[in-house]
């Protein structure tokens, strides 16, 4: 198969890039995504605050309805395994492997969360420790709780939003821990999540050690200014310690003129409108220049 434009990722950025390219006149667009529904991370973000105060799934549905009016082909449950310098991608789906040749490639693969292994935390490796995004998916898509007595490491937007979600599900959020002097996420999320639900925010603190086996029983918390440490009992630690643009697929390709990165795989966007707007412009410009 050969297409003018292959887009990897059907999140807000990938769908917006396709809309931009279609409006600019591109009539051969294939969007591939490994998930079963379009929207990417939006699917698990059931809170309001996307675009004109939509929920994440509502925002995804709005983009999807626009895509359906175009002739862009959307293939879900289709993972892109590799990209070659000769402009060929290998796609894997239930139908098997397929090679797709393309003129332009837009990578809209989103970002990944920094895992426990990348942090300087010693001790046991018990159940009850996961990333904030995994906990969000657990609660919002599978109606399961990550735990009962919860500490959250990191006060960015994801940490604060997941803290509120835990409280709304009746869980005790003991505190959000933050190594900086103040919360690092958007002010609107601080007000609506932390302040509004009286969630303690411990600044200039971090977690240095995990305790418990097989389940977490507590963590060692260090005050960064004094160096003092104390044991804090909890059964769950959620890691909201940073999002890393997902560029693995193209890391060996250099910067060929046919390759374009949009959305969170280019740089992490706090607001979906920003990711969508940038992607739409890039989608239209690469076709105009071609
Ligand atoms: C927890 C959280 C809360 C947020 N809250 C808000 C908010 O309140 N308001 C707001 O405006 N913005 C919010 N944002 C920001 C906004 O949602 C994101 O910036 C935006 O949705 C990112 O879109 P994206 O398309 O770049 O990435 P994603 O949505 O992550 O999409 C990437 C897609 O690429 C696919 N993919 C990756 N690799 C492959 C591969 N090899 N093959 C096939 N498919 C692949 C993935 O399956 C995924 O569907 C929030 C973000 C997060 C994480």
């Amino acid at each position: 198969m050969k297409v003018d434009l292959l887009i990897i990722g059907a999140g807000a950025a990938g769908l917006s890039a396709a809309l931009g390219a279609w409006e600019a006149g591109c009539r051969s667009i294939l969007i591939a995504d490994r998930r079963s529904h379009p929207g990417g991370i939006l699917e698990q973000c059931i809170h309001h605050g996307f675009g004109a105060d939509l929920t994440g799934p509502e925002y995804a549905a709005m983009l999807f309805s626009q895509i359906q009016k175009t002739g862009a082909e959307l293939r879900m449950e289709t993972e892109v395994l590799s990209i070659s310098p000769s402009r060929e991608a290998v796609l894997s789906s239930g139908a098997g492997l397929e090679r797709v040749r393309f003129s332009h490639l837009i990578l809209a693969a989103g970002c990944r969360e920094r895992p426990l292994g990348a942090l300087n935390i010693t001790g046991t490796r018990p159940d009850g420790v996961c990333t904030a995004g995994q906990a969000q998916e657990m609660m919002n898509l599978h109606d399961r709780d990550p735990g009962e007595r919860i500490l959250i490491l990191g006060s960015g937007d994801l940490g604060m939003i997941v803290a509120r979600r835990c409280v709304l599900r009746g869980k005790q959020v003991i505190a959000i821990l933050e190594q900086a002097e103040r919360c690092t996420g958007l002010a609107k999320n601080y007000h609506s999540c932390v302040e509004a639900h009286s969630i303690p925010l411990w600044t200039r603190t971090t977690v240095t050690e995990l305790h418990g086996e097989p389940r977490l029983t507590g963590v060692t918390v260090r005050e960064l200014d004094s160096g003092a440490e104390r044991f804090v009992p909890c059964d769950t630690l959620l890691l909201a310690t940073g999002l890393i643009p997902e560029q693995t697929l193209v890391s060996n390709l250099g910067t060929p003129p046919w390759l374009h990165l949009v959305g969170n795989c280019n740089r992490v966007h706090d607001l979906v409108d920003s990711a969508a707007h940038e992607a739409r412009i890039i989608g239209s410009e690469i076709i105009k220049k071609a």
Side-chain angles (χ1 to χ4, degrees), residues 12-33:
L15 295 177
S16 300
L19 289 170
W22 182 266
E23 284 158 6
C26 183
R27 291 294 176 263
S28 169
I29 305 174
L30 174 62
I31 313 166
D33 196 300

Side-chain angles (χ1 to χ4, degrees), residues 9 12-13 33-34 40-41 47 49-50 80 108 158 264 269-272:
D33 196 300
R34 60 162 81 102
I41 193 75
H47 56 280
F50 294 82
V80 179
L158 182 53
N264 281 2
H269 294 260
D270 294 332
L271 294 175
V272 71

Side-chain angles (χ1 to χ4, degrees), residues 106 260-262 266 277-287:
I106 291 185
H260 313 273
L261 274 57
V262 299
N266 185 27
H277 180 69
E278 180 192 88
R280 202 161 178 144
I281 290 174
I282 291 174
S284 70
E285 282 180 350
I286 59 173
I287 296 307

Side-chain angles (χ1 to χ4, degrees), residues 150 205 224 230 238 241-242 261 265:
I150 301 170
T205 59
L224 290 171
R230 68 183 194 281
L238 303 184
T241 46
L261 274 57
C265 81

Side-chain angles (χ1 to χ4, degrees), residues 27-145:
R27 291 294 176 263
S28 169
I29 305 174
L30 174 62
I31 313 166
D33 196 300
R34 60 162 81 102
R35 293 180 183 233
S36 48
H37 298 100
I41 193 75
L42 294 172
E43 196 190 356
Q44 68 186 64
C45 297
I46 60 173
H47 56 280
H48 285 262
F50 294 82
D53 207 27
L54 301 173
T55 64
E58 287 168 351
Y59 195 96
M62 184 258 298
L63 284 177
F64 180 52
S65 72
Q66 293 176 30
I67 282 290
Q68 284 181 304
K69 293 179 190 141
T70 72
E73 183 183 350
L74 179 58
R75 284 205 213 157
M76 302 308 297
E77 298 184 348
T78 301
E79 171 136 18
V80 179
L81 299 179
S82 65
I83 307 289
S84 76
S86 57
R87 290 193 247 185
E88 189 174 82
V90 177
L91 277 58
S92 169
S93 68
L97 293 182
E98 184 183 0
R99 292 181 189 282
V100 175
R101 289 187 298 120
F102 55 84
S103 302
H104 294 277
L105 176 71
I106 291 185
L107 185 70
C111 56
R112 61 194 143 89
E113 296 175 282
R114 185 164 287 121
L116 177 61
L119 303 174
N120 196 13
I121 300 177
T122 60
T124 55
R125 288 296 178 262
D127 297 342
V129 182
C130 68
T131 66
Q134 287 168 333
Q136 186 182 53
E137 183 178 346
M138 205 184 284
M139 292 185 280
N140 294 351
L141 297 184
H142 306 294
D143 195 23
R144 283 177 14 228
D145 294 318

